[in-house]
Amino acid sequence: MEHPLFIYNTLTRKKEQFVPLHEPFVGMYVCGPTVYGDAHLGHARPAITFDILFRYLSHLGYKVRYVRNITDVGHLEHDADEGEDKVGKKARLEKLEPMEVVQYYVNRYHKAMERLNVLPPSIEPFASGHIIEQIEYIKEIINHGYAYVSNGSVYFDVPKYSRDFHYGKLSGRNVEELLSATRQLDGQQEKRNPADFALWKKASPEHIMHWPSPWSEGFPGWHLECSTMGQKYLGETFDIHGGGMDLVFPHHECEIAQSVAHSGHDAVRYWMHNNMITINGQKMGKSLGNFITLDEFFTGSRKDMLSQAYSPMTIRFFILQAHYGGTVDFSNEALQAAEKAYERMLDGWKRLNELKPSETSTVDVADLDRKCHEAMNDDLNTPVVIAHLFDACRAINQVNDGKASISETDLQQLKATFKTFLFDILGIYDERESGSVNLKPYEQAVDLLLDIRKEAKSKKDWATSDLIRNRLSEIGFDVKDTKDGFEWKVK
């Protein structure tokens, strides 16, 4: 490949050239949602980040098997080994079957992802659908001596594993400190060491979701599910494992330990993590209660935190304006700026399609494709791609205003590059044309009014001309006179 792709590997703490295990095939696993509530802005970020990676790898010609799981059992409150199952608790409070809760929120998650133009993964396995595989996986870990049974539960033996391997290498945690924490937590007496984690939990009588196993009637541990499903669909070694930075420890650290204990080696070659969305510097999350659901953004219903409704593409553009490895602090001002930027970009695309070519070019757009590829190859640098596209918009505006010219060849190349990067790779679409509201009739009505205004101007009937423009402005339309007639957009 002329310009290879480099991605930041959390495991080695550096950017590395991406070389797939079995080119042209790429195996990619991303931790999906725990489905006991509506998706919020914090869920949108990993979904969009790894959607961009999925799209870009496909653009480069790789055949990607993208697995994104649904956690519907075993994820206990506070990410702990004790307490209630998050889905089970919701089911108990709502007096529903747990799978009713799961189905309801999975449907809503899919709908929100569709609105954000996040492509569906190749496979979306449910943890509850892979209990047999998880039991077999645990048996292997026990056989290799890295897990023990205690009162019907099975725990991973972290001290024993750390003597043979390196527990803590992904997160950089000091394993001695973890192991010297001698305090016994309530209900954790059955663990040999507080750092040990559950592979299988014996279900208490009130626990709703449980399955038979060789050790007890119980349910799998949260970390185990991803190791098992990743191996089932992508093999004992695969290319990329992604997720939010909040999963590095303990979730992904435990996944590494499980796969090494099970198979004798790491399953994953490149670990990728998107950074957090924060509100006033604090991580946005369900457990902290400071989150805004995607539906609340789309409808603007959270008047305490939102000054207006924000469309799905505004949210997507807002997230892509920052590099996935940096934090993004939510604010109304930042979202309003993203909304304006998104509209400016689409205006550029609309003008580009109306440009008339000249014999020669006085604008420099020939390098745009190369620059955008270079930015994407540098660890998916979407803000730099967006900056390059805005540079192109400035050139488009110059040609549109008659201050520059563009040749037919450059014009076609510019259209192709714009389409590839804005729509195919960044996954942006024009909501004004493809929203749920059918805009076509009212577009025709506005055009009709502006045609009447144009005629009034030609007859020097300034009163009618101004009246139409001013009334349209009051309703919420921006009208701009151009050398060829007029342009308009919704404010």
Side-chain angles (χ1 to χ4, degrees):
M1 198 178 289
E2 188 186 350
H3 296 292
L5 169 63
F6 283 79
I7 51 182
Y8 183 82
N9 189 347
T10 310
L11 189 62
T12 58
R13 291 165 180 70
K14 60 176 192 274
K15 282 185 202 174
E16 295 178 350
Q17 184 177 339
F18 175 66
V19 182
L21 199 60
H22 304 294
E23 200 164 344
F25 301 100
V26 172
M28 173 168 124
Y29 187 97
V30 175
C31 289
T34 301
V35 282
Y36 68 104
D38 272 337
H40 58 69
L41 195 59
H43 294 118
R45 194 163 194 202
I48 290 169
T49 297
F50 294 102
D51 182 55
I52 296 292
L53 180 59
F54 184 29
R55 286 168 180 271
Y56 192 59
L57 289 168
S58 303
H59 166 76
L60 293 177
Y62 293 117
K63 293 177 169 55
V64 187
R65 179 179 290 172
Y66 175 15
V67 181
R68 187 186 68 208
N69 72 298
I70 295 287
T71 299
D72 59 348
V73 64
H75 193 170
L76 304 187
E77 290 182 289
H78 314 300
D79 301 346
D81 282 334
E82 296 298 321
E84 232 179 321
D85 185 292
K86 292 181 177 186
V87 172
K89 181 180 181 180
K90 184 81 174 176
R92 179 175 60 76
L93 294 174
E94 304 272 340
K95 296 187 169 50
L96 295 168
E97 270 289 330
M99 287 305 140
E100 268 182 286
V101 172
V102 168
Q103 191 67 58
Y104 178 77
Y105 287 113
V106 165
N107 290 349
R108 289 175 67 79
Y109 178 74
H110 285 160
K111 201 166 278 184
M113 292 305 112
E114 203 173 295
R115 294 189 71 183
L116 289 168
N117 206 20
V118 168
L119 299 173
S122 325
I123 302 174
E124 191 173 52
F126 285 62
S128 64
H130 297 77
I131 300 294
I132 293 168
E133 291 91 339
Q134 291 172 72
I135 289 170
E136 293 305 310
Y137 200 101
I138 295 169
K139 284 181 186 170
E140 282 297 298
I141 295 176
I142 293 173
N143 290 343
H144 296 154
Y146 295 108
Y148 57 91
V149 184
S150 175
N151 295 336
S153 292
V154 184
Y155 291 98
F156 191 92
D157 192 334
V158 171
K160 182 168 185 197
Y161 175 84
S162 345
R163 285 195 290 275
D164 299 340
F165 303 102
H166 181 184
Y167 183 81
K169 66 180 181 178
L170 183 71
S171 59
R173 298 280 175 120
N174 181 334
V175 76
E176 277 68 39
E177 281 177 23
L178 287 171
L179 296 178
S180 65
T182 50
R183 64 195 174 92
Q184 277 298 333
L185 303 175
D186 289 343
Q188 294 198 347
Q189 285 78 9
E190 58 187 35
K191 288 186 186 186
R192 291 177 187 168
N193 188 288
D196 295 349
F197 57 89
L199 299 175
W200 185 265
K201 284 289 292 178
K202 181 181 180 179
S204 54
E206 66 276 9
H207 202 95
I208 312 176
M209 289 185 281
H210 46 80
W211 291 262
S213 80
W215 314 289
S216 65
E217 185 78 17
F219 56 91
W222 172 42
H223 313 305
L224 179 82
E225 300 168 352
C226 289
S227 293
T228 305
M229 292 187 287
Q231 178 180 306
K232 179 176 172 76
Y233 295 110
L234 299 172
E236 276 195 2
T237 309
F238 57 90
D239 296 302
I240 297 167
H241 193 319
M245 211 170 266
D246 54 331
L247 297 177
V248 171
F249 188 88
H251 189 48
H252 291 161
E253 195 72 75
C254 294
E255 275 193 58
I256 290 177
Q258 287 165 167
S259 61
V260 172
H262 176 278
S263 312
H265 58 79
D266 282 12
V268 179
R269 299 171 68 239
Y270 301 89
W271 283 94
M272 292 180 73
H273 293 93
N274 63 276
N275 215 319
M276 299 295 95
I277 298 228
T278 56
I279 295 188
N280 305 323
Q282 187 185 36
K283 176 200 157 189
M284 180 182 281
K286 283 186 204 164
S287 51
L288 296 166
N290 66 347
F291 63 92
I292 307 173
T293 71
L294 292 172
D295 262 13
E296 286 168 345
F297 274 104
F298 302 158
T299 60
S301 60
R302 276 292 289 277
K303 304 292 183 207
D304 58 325
M305 295 176 91
L306 299 174
S307 61
Q308 63 177 85
Y310 295 100
S311 72
M313 282 303 100
T314 298
I315 301 286
R316 188 172 177 113
F317 207 83
F318 167 67
I319 286 172
L320 294 179
Q321 279 182 309
H323 186 266
Y324 77 85
T327 52
V328 171
D329 200 47
F330 156 82
S331 69
N332 276 291
E333 295 72 30
L335 276 163
Q336 284 163 352
E339 185 174 66
K340 286 193 175 67
Y342 159 68
E343 287 179 351
R344 225 169 58 237
M345 186 72 84
L346 289 180
D347 289 343
W349 168 249
K350 196 175 171 195
R351 282 196 193 106
L352 173 59
N353 285 291
E354 292 163 0
L355 291 186
K356 305 281 185 286
S358 305
E359 289 298 310
T360 57
S361 282
T362 59
V363 290
D364 179 21
V365 290
D367 260 0
L368 181 66
D369 190 78
R370 180 186 58 78
K371 285 177 181 168
C372 288
H373 273 104
E374 278 178 4
M376 286 301 293
N377 286 335
D378 182 17
D379 197 26
L380 310 181
N381 205 328
T382 57
V384 171
V385 173
I386 289 170
H388 289 325
L389 292 174
F390 273 128
D391 286 343
C393 285
R394 277 189 279 280
I396 291 163
N397 289 341
Q398 284 180 327
V399 176
N400 186 61
D401 296 343
K403 294 173 184 163
S405 63
I406 189 166
S407 69
E408 177 67 37
T409 309
D410 281 357
L411 182 59
Q412 293 312 320
Q413 176 63 50
L414 184 54
K415 281 181 185 174
T417 302
F418 225 94
K419 180 189 172 300
T420 296
F421 282 92
L422 185 62
F423 301 125
D424 301 347
I425 293 170
L426 295 184
I428 297 297
Y429 65 82
D430 191 343
E431 288 169 320
R432 301 175 301 193
E433 289 184 0
S434 49
S436 54
V437 184
N438 181 3
L439 297 184
K440 295 300 178 212
Y442 100 61
E443 283 181 354
Q444 290 168 6
V446 176
D447 284 344
L448 176 64
L449 277 170
L450 290 173
D451 280 334
I452 295 167
R453 177 173 174 265
K454 194 171 162 187
E455 204 171 304
K457 279 176 72 178
S458 70
K459 293 176 180 167
K460 296 191 168 43
D461 178 0
W462 308 119
T464 304
S465 159
D466 290 350
L467 176 71
I468 292 171
R469 190 192 59 218
N470 294 343
R471 291 302 295 275
L472 281 172
S473 177
E474 284 167 24
I475 299 167
F477 293 95
D478 245 344
V479 177
K480 182 183 169 191
D481 291 311
T482 66
K483 62 181 196 307
D484 298 323
F486 56 81
E487 283 179 357
W488 65 267
K489 64 178 181 183
V490 181
K491 283 182 186 174

